[in-house]
Amino acid sequence: MTPQPPGPPDGGWGWVVAFSAFAVNGLSYGLLRSLGLALPDLAEHFDRSAQDTAWISALALAMQQAASAGWALVFAPALGTLSRYFSRRRVLAVGLALTGNGVSSLFLAPALQLLLDTFGWRGALFLLGAVTLHLTPCGALLRPLSLPGDPEAPPLNPLAALGLGLFKHRAFSVFALGTALIGGGYFVPYVHLAPHALDRGLGGYGAALVVAVAAVGDSGARLICGCLADQGWVPLPRLLALFGALTGLGLLAVGLVPAVGSEDDWGGPLLAAAGAYGLSAGSYAPLVFGVLPGLVGIGGVVQATGLVMMLMSLGGLLGPPLSGFLRDETGNFTASFLVCGSFILSGSFIYLGLPRALPSCRSTSPPATPPPERGELLPMPQVALPPPGGPPSTLDTDC
């Protein structure tokens, strides 16, 4: 019997798992983000409204997020396995893996527009499906890892196997509610950012540039935020609420940009708003998965990842069709982005109910070592009194 390591190895084969998760993220979310460029062609071919065609991406998101088919069969295990391989550098590793979204969008958006111009929407989707087959070797790289705290035997109760008992914990329930609301707006730009740019008067390649700018900001922010979050200067729940709110404000800005004069105009205000949205959304993404081990423990992180994706699927299923409905009713996507930005802001406010999301005025001692992997990443601050006649304590005050 192979002995269990004392904790996550923080490297080794974990970097191979990170590369696999990077590719999985790029071939799923990155591809789906660029797929909005094909929606106008689909709407024209089938003579359907923006609301109807939005269901295509919405159903794909819901199926993916709920871990019931397709991409999710690789994505959820990839992120869950990656979290088990890292402790000190967990948010950085997750951020690195999630940059696959932005990197692939940077290349897939103009490539998809070229494929649409060359082969039409049928040929373009056929070739994208062939590219997606590379998910198979990515899944083969996920090597299981046994850690202290893992259950000795798999649960026999189906409800326990799904991890539904996690909702008994207040912190996870707060996190789940906030994440479900944010899911209602977070995926709208994946589907309608490119059509919104087309509605604003940009040409096909101008719209692809808008998607690419958002992707660049998204990718860079995931790496930078992951690196800084692992330093422990600011509690992860506080960062989660902050960048969630900034993402909502970024969506509001995208919805309020004015129309351009002609297709030759590159739409400077929309590019700036898309870049700001990408930076904030990219900073938010690794925090969602990075905070999970502290909420549920390392043994339940894979189940928690699947549950979070399922909850976000509720928003992913309803958000894009709602956005398409508002576009059909108003003639543009302004109301769509304003409503969906409001969903994200509402979820961010709910995150303030997480432990350590708000400053407190009690003295705390910063941990010199990584927190225990038993769901104690978010401990309540403890007050330490100096011994009588001894030197004053050097504890920090978190206020």
Side-chain angles (χ1 to χ4, degrees), residues 127-156:
L127 291 173
L128 289 180
V131 172
T132 307
L133 286 174
H134 289 82
L135 288 172
T136 302
C138 293
L141 295 175
L142 303 181
R143 178 184 296 173
L145 178 67
S146 297
L147 293 173
D150 289 345
E152 296 181 0
L156 300 178

Side-chain angles (χ1 to χ4, degrees), residues 39-284:
L39 292 186
D41 289 345
L42 292 172
E44 180 180 358
H45 179 83
F46 292 103
D47 192 25
R48 309 299 293 182
S49 65
Q51 179 187 2
D52 293 337
T53 53
W55 279 102
I56 299 172
S57 294
L59 289 173
L61 277 167
M63 295 292 284
Q64 172 184 351
Q65 293 290 101
S68 53
W71 289 329
L73 295 178
V74 185
F75 184 82
L79 264 292
T81 303
L82 179 62
S83 295
R84 292 172 57 81
Y85 269 89
F86 290 88
S87 180
R88 282 189 178 91
R89 294 178 285 186
R90 178 177 291 128
V91 184
L92 173 61
V94 172
L96 177 63
L98 294 182
T99 58
N101 181 334
V103 172
S104 66
S105 297
L106 178 63
F107 295 101
L108 283 177
L112 177 56
Q113 186 61 50
L114 179 63
L115 292 176
L116 290 169
D117 293 340
T118 306
F119 302 104
W121 66 270
R122 294 181 187 273
L125 294 182
F126 181 82
L127 291 173
L128 289 180
V131 172
T132 307
L133 286 174
H134 289 82
L135 288 172
T136 302
C138 293
L141 295 175
L142 303 181
R143 178 184 296 173
L145 178 67
S146 297
L147 293 173
D150 289 345
E152 296 181 0
L156 300 178
N157 188 332
L159 296 181
L162 293 174
L164 298 182
L166 296 174
F167 288 103
K168 296 179 180 178
H169 304 286
R170 176 185 173 277
F172 184 77
S173 297
V174 170
F175 174 81
L177 178 58
T179 302
L181 276 174
I182 287 180
Y186 190 84
F187 297 107
V188 168
Y190 282 61
V191 182
H192 285 148
L193 181 58
H196 176 56
L198 295 173
D199 273 1
R200 296 289 86 185
L202 273 67
Y205 288 98
L209 178 62
V210 170
V211 175
V213 167
V216 170
D218 189 298
S219 298
R222 293 182 187 215
L223 279 177
I224 296 173
C225 180
C227 182
L228 295 178
D230 280 332
Q231 304 304 312
W233 297 327
V234 181
L236 291 184
R238 200 172 304 169
L239 289 176
L240 188 69
L242 172 63
F243 285 112
L246 291 177
T247 303
L249 293 176
L251 274 183
L252 297 181
V254 169
L256 292 174
V257 293
V260 300
S262 66
E263 290 190 2
D264 296 331
D265 192 330
W266 288 101
L270 182 54
L271 287 174
Y277 154 75
L279 289 171
S280 54
S283 299
Y284 168 82

